[in-house]
Amino acid sequence: MSPQLAVTLIVFAPLAGALVAGLFGRLIGHRVAQIVTTGLLFVACALAWVTFRQVFGGAWPHAFTVTLAPFIHVGRFVSDWSIRIDSLSAVMLVVVTSVSALVHLYSWGYMRTDPHRARFFAYLSLFTFAMLALVTAADFMQLFFGWEGVGLASYLLIGFWYEKPTANAAAIKAFVVNRVGDAGFALGIMTVFWAFGSIRFADVFPLVASHADLAWRFGSAQFRLMDLACVLLFIGAMGKSAQFLLHTWLPDAMEGPTPVSALIHAATMVTAGVYMVCLLSPMFEAAPVAKGVVTVVGAITCLFAATIGLAQNDIKRVIAYSTCSQLGYMFFAAGIGAYPAAMFHLFTHAFFKALLFLGAGSVIEAMHHEQDMRHMGALWNKTPITYVVMLLGTLAITGVGIPGLDLGFAGFYSKDAIINAAYVASATQGTAMFAFICGVVAAGLTSFYSWRLIFMTFHGHAKWGAHEAHGHDAHADHGAHGHGAHTPHESPWVMILPLILLSVGAVFAGGVFDESFVGGDRAGFWGSALSATTSGTLLDQIHHLPQWVVLAPLAVTAVGFFAAWYYYIAREGLAARIAARRGLLWAFLYNKWYFDELYDAVFVRGAKALGDLFWKGGDKKLIDGLGPDGVSEVSYAVGRGVSRVQTGYVYHYAFVMLLGVAGLVSYALWAFR
């Protein structure tokens, strides 16, 4: 099979599945729709791994573009439907198709009783197609198409259970917040076209050096062109990847089915922003102010989201805030110039985050759709396979490993590479030390809330005995299972198999690919896909650091583990009593730093008040009052006054006519005297 045909099938196989299931789902039935969409995803996944191997093995060109059809040709604005393959997109093809294929398979069990599952599988495949279009884009126009495509598909998936008001609200919130970021993204694309006269990456990247010092003037202000363009583009990434200030939609996205959470959080929508920054590394390398913004926002998000995860009780929301935090690591890695480390963490994160979300779904299934960890406990021997794979995912996300021996789980290799690179970069970049400190502290907090989830869910006393389940997820809202006290049970094998496969990635993905992503082999691995000016220096020096820097992540991880063990195992119930006091710190973290309340007061109510002002004051009183309403009121008053002289008596009219004749005669005598 030719490379061109293979990559074309990878991108369009999910779209074909979405069309078949979406348009003909009722005709062919749920089972056939599942088989078609899942089968095509596994075909795409197999071809993605072949592409990955052939590109990095040298059998195929290290970078090539397949032009499918013209899209927009207007003057200098030229955009074609193309598929761009290089080492960066080849990595993303593997990540997206692998996770999506396993999510499709997992959904066979999780959604088995949903009456609309053909539509659900159509949405999953549509989501995957949009993400594949994004990561293979050869210009900003197709990138924007994929960018908006995953936004649309996420809206459909988050609000899949449209009968739930909370699901509808969460879908709308995700859509609106992302539109805020997309406004910046669109302006960034316009800025690029204005400056370079092209939106094709192959045209723009070679011109960056010659355009680096150009400035855009607005009145008396002057903005450096490259910084302006990159900051605007990063605003789009903040929305799509749920970074600080534009993060509020992501935890609410948990209202969708659990497979949706895994797909959005692990490998697709939320990683699009990280991928975009790494893809545009030649531009960001020429934009030091923009890189500083990326570093600071990523570091703040990394720490901020980790603090919120400490106090959440919904098992999926804990993992959701974990995603925000891990994305923060990726962004500040890109901000300091360690692009390969950012992509490495994106790669490993896809495996252990999908594992954790799908594992949480298995727990929810076992608990008959209960999501509150306070109503769980002692599940380790009721769901032994789920327990083991969740342990492996936790060891991976907390980055457990032995420095010096280079032996550990997937997150150990990628997370430590980021933290170490931040310390190296602090010698030349002022924001890097801030990122280093945030990264180390967040590693300790990640360990605490991750082991808190394990201890509350699988250990301690059982709290599910006589408790009546009232979870918010999946089939319970559609009558698939009755509520009430049930003995927890292990999930079916169609759900367990994806967990086992993902756990292999969570254990081995870091060690196997460490040298290729951030080690000595990275130059041959990445080729020209990532800028090497900063990252090469940084990643060469991370192997020559003070011992305390190398050991710091492991030390804080151990502290986080023992703190969680003390509060939730050794002194079980102590944390619940602390929470019951509802102290200021607990309330601050439990209520997510009150961002939702703040945004509601400032933006939602503020927009409503502004709308009322323009509507009631400007439109109704001013425009309508002086315009149509005022004219009609005057006309009505005049008409009502005139109507009073219409008495209906003939002698009144004769008298008026007589007065008129007298007046006319009098005027004539006066005028012609």
Side-chain angles (χ1 to χ4, degrees), residues 130-321:
M131 189 65 191
L132 292 174
L134 188 157
V135 301
T136 58
D139 60 43
F140 281 98
M141 196 70 231
Q142 187 177 329
L143 183 68
F144 191 72
F145 167 80
W147 200 267
E148 296 305 306
V150 293
L152 168 64
S154 68
Y155 169 80
L156 297 174
L157 286 167
I158 295 168
F160 179 74
W161 287 316
Y162 55 85
E163 295 177 356
K164 293 173 57 180
T166 52
N168 289 326
I172 293 172
K173 185 176 183 179
F175 199 79
V176 171
V177 173
N178 273 273
R179 298 294 73 73
V180 174
D182 291 350
F185 190 60
L187 290 172
I189 295 174
M190 296 175 196
T191 304
V192 170
F193 179 71
W194 169 74
F196 294 96
S198 175
I199 58 168
R200 292 186 291 195
F201 303 141
D203 297 336
V204 172
F205 292 165
L207 297 176
V208 168
S210 61
H211 288 62
D213 295 325
L214 294 180
W216 180 68
R217 291 176 175 81
F218 183 77
S220 59
Q222 181 171 300
F223 303 92
R224 196 167 176 271
L225 170 67
M226 208 57 61
D227 284 314
L228 177 64
C230 289
V231 167
L232 289 171
L233 292 167
F234 177 63
I235 291 173
M238 289 175 63
K240 198 66 67 184
S241 297
Q243 291 300 281
F244 184 68
L245 300 180
L246 294 180
H247 66 280
T248 53
W249 68 270
L250 192 59
D252 288 2
M254 298 303 97
E255 291 293 338
T258 297
V260 173
S261 305
L263 191 60
I264 291 177
H265 285 245
T268 52
M269 181 171 170
V270 298
T271 61
V274 178
Y275 167 78
M276 184 268 288
V277 172
C278 292
L279 172 66
L280 303 182
S281 59
M283 293 176 59
F284 277 88
E285 281 297 289
V289 173
K291 286 180 65 178
V293 171
V294 174
T295 303
V296 171
V297 171
I300 292 174
T301 305
C302 173
L303 183 59
F304 148 80
T307 63
I308 297 178
L310 302 175
Q312 302 305 303
N313 296 314
D314 185 309
I315 187 171
K316 287 171 64 177
R317 284 183 179 267
V318 173
I319 304 174
Y321 278 106

Side-chain angles (χ1 to χ4, degrees), residues 302-303 329 332 415 419 434-446 548-549 552-554 556-557:
C302 173
L303 183 59
Y329 276 109
F332 81 65
K415 182 197 68 179
I419 293 175
F434 174 69
F436 171 76
I437 295 171
C438 289
V440 171
V441 175
L445 298 179
T446 301
W548 71 268
V549 175
L554 179 62
V556 296
T557 298

Side-chain angles (χ1 to χ4, degrees), residues 512-552:
V512 171
F513 291 99
D514 179 50
E515 280 296 307
S516 299
F517 274 91
V518 296
D521 298 337
R522 68 180 180 278
F525 182 83
W526 290 115
S528 59
L530 294 177
S531 174
T533 53
T534 301
S535 60
T537 304
L538 289 178
L539 297 177
D540 285 337
Q541 296 181 33
I542 63 175
H543 304 290
H544 308 284
L545 294 173
Q547 195 65 18
W548 71 268
V549 175
V550 176
L551 295 176

Side-chain angles (χ1 to χ4, degrees), residues 561-585:
F561 169 80
F562 285 112
W565 174 83
Y566 177 80
Y567 280 102
Y568 294 96
I569 299 295
R571 298 286 301 276
E572 186 180 1
L574 176 59
R577 292 192 294 273
I578 294 174
R581 297 172 188 165
R582 299 185 177 276
L584 290 177
L585 179 59

Side-chain angles (χ1 to χ4, degrees), residues 584-607:
L584 290 177
L585 179 59
W586 177 89
F588 183 68
L589 298 180
Y590 181 77
N591 290 287
K592 302 162 288 188
W593 289 33
Y594 292 101
F595 265 98
D596 284 327
E597 291 80 1
L598 177 63
Y599 284 2
D600 182 69
V602 175
F603 296 112
V604 178
R605 297 181 188 176

Side-chain angles (χ1 to χ4, degrees), residues 637-652:
V638 171
R640 192 168 63 177
V642 171
S643 69
R644 293 175 182 174
V645 304
Q646 303 294 327
T647 63
Y649 295 112
V650 175
Y651 62 84
H652 284 170

Side-chain angles (χ1 to χ4, degrees), residues 315 318-319 373 390 449-457:
I315 187 171
V318 173
I319 304 174
M373 296 185 298
M390 288 285 282
Y449 67 66
S450 297
W451 288 109
R452 172 180 179 263
L453 183 151
I454 292 294
F455 294 148
M456 290 183 70
T457 303

